[in-house]
């Protein structure tokens, strides 16, 4: 009886230990990764800026529901008759002034944050998926698959992104932010990202543990998912961040050309501000032109800084010393 | 080495053809209506059908594609829907774009890698912080807005350059001078690029032969002096010096804007890559051997740190070449990228495809040249027969 309980408790302890061991490595690596990441002050600052943008995106509908009168502060059709003539300089009621059509600049700025996030996140996810799968597959199988994928990605690299995105903008001028991000993601993922991922995967696959796994009887998919992919994720994350930066700028470029009219973004704001400036005799209204440009830069720069931090995590050589 | 070169050439030609095919179908499928329905509303149905037949857009898509590919392989770019041969139009446009693109890219590459090298070598401090901040600002800002702001302040506020806000920029050339000249601006631009390339090639040859004979290379200021004097000397010797200077005066603002738009990325990549390289053991070894700092920085570190910069440059060339439209649009510079976008709005498929052929060829040739350079710099490449990004 007594021995049975001790046996039972010891097996329980063993199981607990086993599950703890199974659990700890992930947390430990995550904590280690975070420590390396946090050493880079700018990367942490970038994360904070992204958080602030997220808060602003959430704050906009709340502000319109509570403090701001919904019809006056509408980012698309708003008009404040008290602040005329438009564009009016910054005042207490309109913190960044109003634009040529009488819309509140701050409200437009906040409204444009959500689409930017959606474009960036979709582009990042699709880039990561396409880039990683193409890179890993062609690095793992080599041979004809590699040849086909390499030629395709070489051809995709040649596709001029501005032209392609404008063609997409003309053809599908009612496209929402998510499909647009997806199209950009496919372009970036099959092109530049796939090439870099392939070379990174080649390095991973040449390591002894992959041969060991093969000798131990691991199938192709097992090796790719369990042994190669975990080593790819920091590089993938790095490319995701870069994709956000580029996709947001590309999205703004389409709107800047005046093609994408279904949702408001910072490119549209810059475009319309420059168009109105053509008809104004008073010169440029900087309080309308500069905030969207600054917001775009800050948004892109934040993701860039995070990608720099991840670069340190991704490259173990930099970590050791 | 020869085998490697042949393999690379064949595979890049295949990629080029894949790219052109893709863009052909994108152009045809994406553009909603065809040329005649959108631009000839005054025609009646019969005339429209006739026009369609004349332009050859009534046939099925695959037939048009085969026809186009067949003509391209025989070296013809076809005629525009407006009736002129595409080649003549492109001949007029290419020098204007290449002048800005080549000089801007070269300037941004050398300036960017030099700054990145310095910033990484000096370590944390005001120089590094300042240059990094400037590069990140330039890299992440919205290019059209940045181009506009630069033009506005450099061209209008500070009256350093001839500002170009309306009309065709080339109309601002010195009329009296060009009335007496027998040359066209495009020809002068071509000659300018050719002579500059010749002088640069000569300089490289001199440096190479000095290195071969184990003599120290010429100091930088002597090389620069030789370059400037040599180029100017050839220009005036052949009798188009005044014209060339006139063009240069006009094109300095576009070149400057383009350089500033594209150099941030180069600097940032060079800086991080140089920082990574400085961690390597062979740098410590070189320091322990007591080599002079300059040798370690330029020969041991910078040469190895240059690879990621070059491979990034290769990837971003198509983007830069068509991104020229931003500079050309803001400064009213009548170049190829602007024409490319304009003919796309006009649904003039032959012109768009012609311009894309040029873009593709420029990118592929640059890529091949960089591949050769890479193989020369890094012997590992020669045996793996892969492109640059593999290392």
């Amino acid at each position: 009886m007594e021995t049975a309980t001790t046996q039972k408790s010891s097996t329980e302890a063993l199981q607990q230990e086993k599950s703890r061991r199974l659990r700890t490595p992930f947390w430990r690596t995550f904590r280690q990764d975070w420590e390396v990441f946090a050493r880079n002050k700018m990367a942490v600052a970038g994360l904070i800026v992204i958080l602030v943008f997220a808060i602003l995106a959430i704050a906009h509908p709340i502000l319109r529901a509570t403090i701001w009168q919904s019809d006056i502060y509408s980012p698309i059709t708003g008009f404040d008759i008290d602040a005329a003539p438009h564009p009016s300089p910054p005042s207490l009621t309109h913190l960044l002034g109003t634009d040529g059509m009488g819309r509140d600049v701050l409200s437009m700025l906040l409204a444009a944050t959500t689409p930017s996030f959606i474009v960036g996140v979709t582009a990042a996810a699709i880039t990561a998926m396409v880039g990683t799968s193409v890179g890993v597959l062609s690095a793992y199988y080599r041979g004809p698959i590699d040849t086909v994928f390499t030629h395709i990605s070489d051809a995709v690299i040649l596709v001029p992104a501005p032209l392609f995105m404008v063609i997409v903008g003309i053809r599908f001028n009612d496209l929402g932010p998510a499909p647009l991000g997806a199209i950009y993601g496919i372009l970036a993922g099959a092109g530049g990202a796939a090439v870099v991922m392939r070379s990174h995967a080649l390095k991973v696959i040449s390591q002894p543990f992959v041969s060991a796994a093969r000798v131990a009887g691991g199938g192709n998919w097992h090796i790719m998912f369990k042994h190669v992919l975990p080593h790819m994720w920091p590089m993938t994350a790095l490319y995701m961040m870069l994709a956000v930066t580029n996709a947001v700028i590309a999205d703004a470029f389409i709107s800047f050309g005046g093609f994408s009219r279904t949702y408001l973004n910072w490119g549209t704001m810059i475009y319309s501000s420059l168009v109105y400036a053509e008809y104004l005799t008073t010169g440029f209204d900087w309080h309308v032109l500069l905030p969207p440009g600054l917001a775009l830069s800050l948004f892109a720069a934040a993701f860039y800084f995070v990608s720099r931090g991840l670069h340190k995590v991704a490259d173990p050589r930099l970590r050791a010393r | 080495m020869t085998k490697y070169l042949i393999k690379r050439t064949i595979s890049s030609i295949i990629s080029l053809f894949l790219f052109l095919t893709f863009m052909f179908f994108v152009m045809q499928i994406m553009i909603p209506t065809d040329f005649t329905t959108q631009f000839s509303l005054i025609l009646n149905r019969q005339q429209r059908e006739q026009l369609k037949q004349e332009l050859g857009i009534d046939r099925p898509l695959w037939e048009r594609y085969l026809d186009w590919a067949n003509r391209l392989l025989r070296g013809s770019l076809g005629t525009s829907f407006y009736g002129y041969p595409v080649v003549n139009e492109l001949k007029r446009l290419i020098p204007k774009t290449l002048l800005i693109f080549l000089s801007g890219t070269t300037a941004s590459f050398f300036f960017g890698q030099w700054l990145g090298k310095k910033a990484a070598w000096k370590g944390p401090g005001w120089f590094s912080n300042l240059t990094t901040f400037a590069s990140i600002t330039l890299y992440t800002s919205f290019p059209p807005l940045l181009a506009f702001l630069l033009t506005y302040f450099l061209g209008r506020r500070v009256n350093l350059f001839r500002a170009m806000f309306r009309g065709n920029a080339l109309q601002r050339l010195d009329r009296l001078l060009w009335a007496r000249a027998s040359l066209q601006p495009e020809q002068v631009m071509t000659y300018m690029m050719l002579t500059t390339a010749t002088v640069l090639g000569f300089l490289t040859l001199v440096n190479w032969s000095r290195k071969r004979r184990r003599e120290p290379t010429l100091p930088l200021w002597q090389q620069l002096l030789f370059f400037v004097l040599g180029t100017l000397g050839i220009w005036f010797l052949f009798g188009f010096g005044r014209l060339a200077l006139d063009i240069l005066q006009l094109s300095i603002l576009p070149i400057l804007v383009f350089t500033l738009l594209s150099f941030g990325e180069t600097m940032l990549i060079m800086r991080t890559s140089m920082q990574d390289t400085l961690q390597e053991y062979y740098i410590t070894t070189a320091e322990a051997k007591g080599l002079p700092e300059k040798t370690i920085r330029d020969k041991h570190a910078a040469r190895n740190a240059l690879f990621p910069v070059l491979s990034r440059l290769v990837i971003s060339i198509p983007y830069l070449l068509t991104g020229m439209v931003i500079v050309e649009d803001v400064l009213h510079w009548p170049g190829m990228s602007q024409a490319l976008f304009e003919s796309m709005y006009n649904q003039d498929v032959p012109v768009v495809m012609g311009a894309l052929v040029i873009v593709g060829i420029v990118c592929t040739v640059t890529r091949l040249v960089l591949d050769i350079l890479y193989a020369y710099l890094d012997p590992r490449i020669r045996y793996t027969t892969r492109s640059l990004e593999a290392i």
Side-chain angles (χ1 to χ4, degrees), chain B residues 100 161 247-257:
Chain B
I100 311 286
F161 310 97
I247 286 182
L248 204 64
Q249 217 183 341
L250 200 66
S251 60
I252 222 160
L253 186 58
I255 293 175
L256 190 70
V257 171

Side-chain angles (χ1 to χ4, degrees), chain A residues 150-152 154-155 157-164 166-168 170-172 192 195 198-199 203 242 245-246 249 252-253 256 259 267 270 274 278 284 286 289-290 293 296-297 300-301 304-305 308 311 315 317-318 321, chain B residues 8 11 14-16 18-19 22-23 26-27 29-32 136 139-145 148-149 152-153 166 268 272 276 279-281 315 318-319 322-323 325-326 340-341 344-345 356 360 363-364 367 386 389-390:
Chain A
T150 313
H151 278 111
I152 288 177
D154 277 358
I157 284 174
L158 286 177
V159 174
L163 183 79
F164 186 77
V166 167
I167 291 179
V168 169
I170 292 177
R171 178 69 181 87
F172 308 104
V195 172
R198 180 186 170 279
S199 64
K203 269 182 213 161
L242 282 181
T245 306
N246 294 333
I249 289 179
F253 188 76
F256 182 76
F259 297 119
I270 297 170
L274 281 179
E278 297 245 321
F284 298 102
W286 299 107
L289 186 58
L290 288 184
L296 191 59
S297 293
Y304 176 78
F305 281 129
R308 288 329 309 157
H311 173 71
D315 199 340
R317 280 186 315 161
L318 297 173
R321 277 166 270 170
Chain B
R8 280 297 305 153
S11 89
I14 294 173
S15 294
L16 179 63
L18 268 178
F19 153 70
F22 175 69
M23 284 317 283
V26 164
M27 268 309 290
I29 295 169
M30 287 284 195
I31 300 299
I136 288 175
Y139 173 56
T140 56
S141 55
F142 186 45
L145 182 65
F148 166 75
L149 290 179
Y152 183 76
F153 283 109
R166 300 210 189 279
L268 290 172
T272 38
D276 295 0
Q279 306 277 330
E280 298 280 356
Y281 287 121
I315 292 180
Y319 169 75
T322 43
V325 69
I326 296 162
L340 173 64
F341 275 77
M344 192 194 61
Y345 303 145
L356 283 176
C363 299
T364 312
R367 189 157 186 200
R386 249 304 290 170
E389 298 84 13

